[in-house]
Amino acid sequence: MHFEAPGWILAALPLAFAAWRWEKLRLLSPLRAACTGLLLLALMRPTRHSLSKELELWALMDRSLSAAPQEERQGEEILTLLRHSKPRDARLRIADFAAEMRERESTRLELDPHESRLADGIRWVLQHRSPTHPSRILLVTDGLSTQPLTGVAEEARAAGVPIDIRWLLDPPAPDAQVDLLEAPTRSAPGEGFLLQARLSANFDGQVPYQLLRDGVPIDSGSLTLSRGRAAARFADVLRTPGTHRYELLLQPPNDSRPENNRAETWILCEGKGNILLLSPFPSDPLLPVLESGGFTVRHLRDPAPLQPGILAAARLVILHNFPAESLPQAFRKALPFYVQEQGGGLLMLGGKNSFGSGGYYRSEIDPLLPVSLDVQRREKKLLAAVAILMDRSGSMGSSPSGTQSAGLTKMDLANEGAAASLELLGDQDLAAVYAVDTKAHEILPLSPLGKNRAPLLDSVRRVRSAGGGINIHEALEAGCEALSKIRVGTRHIILFADARDSRQHPGDYRQIV
């Protein structure tokens, strides 16, 4: 039992004072005291949740990489035994967990198996269990969790949900792992150093390995395990300043746990302060100018080596006519920290592949530059007008086939696609959005995005399937009519549809296209 308005208990204090101060009120008489107490109790609104006697039994199945082979062999057998042995009035619910959690309706769902979020799986069941039925969890797992389990048992105990465990165990299978990979934290260009590794396994023999530097193999061979142990040393020399990543990969055949076959370490090659020049020109005209000033310049035309660690040895980064789309995402995201926190320099210059026309508008680099990258109003030839048409027929309410988007509908994907399209437009670009079934329903009239971008994106993301079919011709007519009202350099129609429930033959709308 609990009280929805417990604050009324404070009224007992003035009532007690009144009973002592004014005896003529006779508040302490048994009848009046009982009535006053019942009135206070009613004002506090006591409630009591009564649980049904029917048991809700949750089978929480581990689908992570380490448990997947055993779960595939034993999982269905365990569930079959549960279905036949559970009490008649008990309800069996099945949930799968790995890096994410999903309730299984009939068939197994595809999950990301690269993590085993055991604690999150138990908490997910505690949140989704029925509040009117007693619950119990059967945890089917190998016990290998990639996150701490601190506090999860106390949460289940507080919720009154017992947890039983059925271990997924196989006879010992071959397993080798990298226990350690270490190297000096710093080195100088041209200076040799050693990397040391320690391995362990539950068998003796040869284990193939591969050593990589910045993702490129530099050594391979086999290591000999004796009494389940092995040690190795690798020599290397760095000549390029910056941070470099070393990875040791074991490649034993039929290894039972491949997730522990890898280890990595980082080394900072400290060179003299140099300049990182990114440009597409084979002989960039800046090179002789910078080198004549005594600077060491690393000129890159290929973006493949660009990773955040390369910034550690650079005092200045120059983007010379280098388009934003050529920069790896991790490198772009590292530049704000490099400039604002580490004090690195950033210089952008060039032509059509720089600044706004180079795709840097609204990127991570935009706020670092002292100039505006937005398109000016007078530059109408550079503006774009886009009409987005979203199918909201009945078929869009179903899940997309052939994907791993469990829990999402085709309408959700269309909404996100429309929102992503709008996010790429500038503040002065124009957009119109229509949700289409048998008619085109205007969500956003043709107008500049401006400062209303956030509420507009929110409206687009909340479009829902309304049933019925879709009239493609009506959709295209609405989009063409909207775009015919404006004269800009670029006009586009984007149609999100699943090509089902269409009311016309394609020949009916080819003419308008």
Side-chain angles (χ1 to χ4, degrees):
M1 177 182 294
H2 74 280
F3 299 94
E4 296 184 11
W8 280 101
I9 192 64
L10 298 177
L13 296 177
L15 287 173
F17 177 77
W20 169 77
R21 182 67 178 80
W22 298 288
E23 295 182 0
K24 292 181 179 181
L25 295 177
R26 298 171 58 195
L27 293 177
L28 295 179
S29 65
L31 181 59
R32 294 192 179 187
C35 291
T36 303
L38 290 174
L39 177 61
L40 281 177
L41 187 62
L43 291 173
M44 293 168 63
R45 293 157 57 189
T47 58
R48 180 176 180 272
H49 293 298
S50 58
L51 288 177
S52 167
K53 293 183 180 180
E54 296 180 356
L55 174 67
E56 186 177 70
L57 176 59
W58 282 86
L60 188 57
M61 313 296 289
D62 189 345
R63 298 277 304 283
S64 61
L65 274 178
S66 61
Q70 300 94 316
E71 196 275 336
E72 288 180 2
R73 289 194 299 269
Q74 306 174 28
E76 285 305 317
E77 179 183 0
I78 294 172
L79 295 177
T80 301
L81 291 174
L82 281 176
R83 293 187 182 100
H84 287 86
S85 61
K86 69 177 180 64
R88 288 186 178 180
D89 58 352
R91 177 189 178 193
L92 177 62
R93 300 180 68 178
I94 305 169
D96 297 328
F97 78 94
E100 50 189 334
M101 298 82 207
R102 295 285 188 274
E103 183 171 2
R104 187 190 304 184
E105 297 295 337
S106 56
T107 58
R108 294 151 54 103
L109 301 173
E110 293 297 325
L111 301 179
D112 179 1
H114 293 91
E115 290 186 70
S116 180
R117 305 187 68 83
L118 178 55
D120 286 350
I122 296 174
R123 293 188 175 103
W124 187 91
V125 171
L126 295 178
Q127 293 172 359
H128 289 77
R129 65 190 175 93
S130 171
T132 59
H133 291 71
S135 301
R136 193 178 191 98
I137 298 175
L138 175 63
L139 182 59
V140 182
T141 179
D142 61 353
L144 298 176
S145 176
T146 58
Q147 65 175 172
L149 302 178
T150 307
V152 69
E154 289 75 9
E155 295 176 31
R157 188 181 300 113
V161 179
I163 299 178
D164 302 302
I165 301 178
R166 169 65 164 84
W167 297 109
L168 292 172
L169 298 177
D170 272 350
D175 177 36
Q177 69 179 34
V178 183
D179 295 324
L180 174 70
L181 178 65
E182 61 180 4
T185 57
R186 300 171 185 270
S187 72
E191 178 185 10
F193 58 89
L194 289 176
L195 295 99
Q196 300 187 78
R198 289 205 299 267
L199 288 65
S200 62
N202 56 5
F203 61 90
D204 289 347
Q206 299 289 319
V207 176
Y209 74 89
Q210 191 174 50
L211 182 67
L212 299 89
R213 183 207 306 132
D214 298 329
V216 179
I218 59 172
D219 191 15
S220 62
S222 295
L223 298 173
T224 302
L225 289 158
S226 176
R227 297 183 180 181
R229 296 286 186 270
R233 290 184 175 182
F234 309 97
D236 198 21
V237 176
L238 291 172
R239 304 191 182 279
T240 304
T243 304
H244 300 270
R245 181 182 62 174
Y246 286 86
E247 295 176 90
L248 180 62
L249 302 179
L250 300 184
Q251 301 168 323
N254 304 318
D255 192 82
S256 60
R257 292 178 181 169
E259 60 268 23
N260 60 15
N261 292 355
R262 172 187 174 277
E264 70 174 34
T265 188
W266 293 77
I267 299 177
L268 173 61
C269 182
E270 295 181 313
K272 298 177 181 179
N274 68 337
I275 294 176
L276 179 61
L277 173 61
L278 307 178
S279 77
F281 307 115
S283 300
D284 193 287
L286 288 176
L287 273 173
V289 177
L290 295 173
E291 290 174 347
S292 65
F295 293 101
T296 302
V297 183
R298 184 179 183 186
H299 178 209
L300 291 180
R301 299 171 58 202
D302 179 12
L306 293 177
Q307 40 88 15
I310 202 173
L311 296 170
R315 300 180 65 180
L316 171 65
V317 176
I318 301 178
L319 302 173
H320 187 193
N321 210 38
F322 207 79
E325 63 180 15
S326 297
L327 295 176
Q329 185 178 21
F331 182 81
R332 288 203 317 268
K333 290 185 175 181
L335 278 173
F337 183 82
Y338 167 75
V339 173
Q340 297 169 340
E341 305 297 333
Q342 295 181 314
L346 176 64
L347 173 63
M348 180 179 291
L349 65 158
K352 64 179 182 180
N353 289 326
S354 296
F355 302 103
S357 60
Y360 289 97
Y361 176 60
R362 297 178 64 86
S363 71
E364 297 86 351
I365 300 174
D366 187 351
L368 303 178
L369 300 175
V371 294
S372 172
L373 304 186
D374 197 1
V375 177
Q376 300 300 314
R377 292 180 182 271
R378 64 179 180 272
E379 296 174 304
K380 289 291 185 180
K381 63 179 182 179
L382 296 178
L383 293 182
V386 178
I388 297 178
L389 314 174
M390 292 192 292
D391 176 3
R392 71 169 190 182
S393 60
S395 62
M396 292 293 285
S398 61
S399 298
S401 60
T403 71
Q404 298 183 5
S405 305
L408 293 177
T409 65
K410 288 185 276 190
M411 194 74 250
D412 294 327
L413 300 182
N415 293 347
E416 285 303 318
S421 303
L422 294 175
E423 286 176 341
L424 292 174
L425 298 177
D427 288 344
Q428 302 302 325
D429 292 330
L430 300 103
V433 181
Y434 295 88
V436 185
D437 39 47
T438 55
K439 294 183 178 180
H441 305 274
E442 187 178 73
I443 303 298
L444 170 65
L446 187 67
S447 57
L449 291 178
K451 298 180 180 179
N452 297 320
R453 186 185 301 267
L456 293 178
L457 293 178
D458 183 61
S459 299
V460 169
R461 288 191 172 101
R462 287 189 284 108
V463 176
R464 290 292 173 260
S465 171
I470 178 175
N471 192 321
I472 296 290
H473 192 274
E474 292 278 349
L476 292 174
E477 277 192 336
C480 288
E481 182 181 355
L483 295 183
S484 66
K485 300 175 182 179
I486 188 71
R487 290 291 179 267
V488 295
T490 303
R491 293 184 292 176
H492 285 291
I493 289 179
I494 302 176
L495 171 64
F496 290 96
D498 64 353
R500 299 180 62 184
D501 302 333
S502 180
R503 295 294 180 89
Q504 294 98 9
H505 187 272
D508 296 337
Y509 50 80
R510 284 177 182 159
Q511 183 177 359
I512 193 172
V513 172

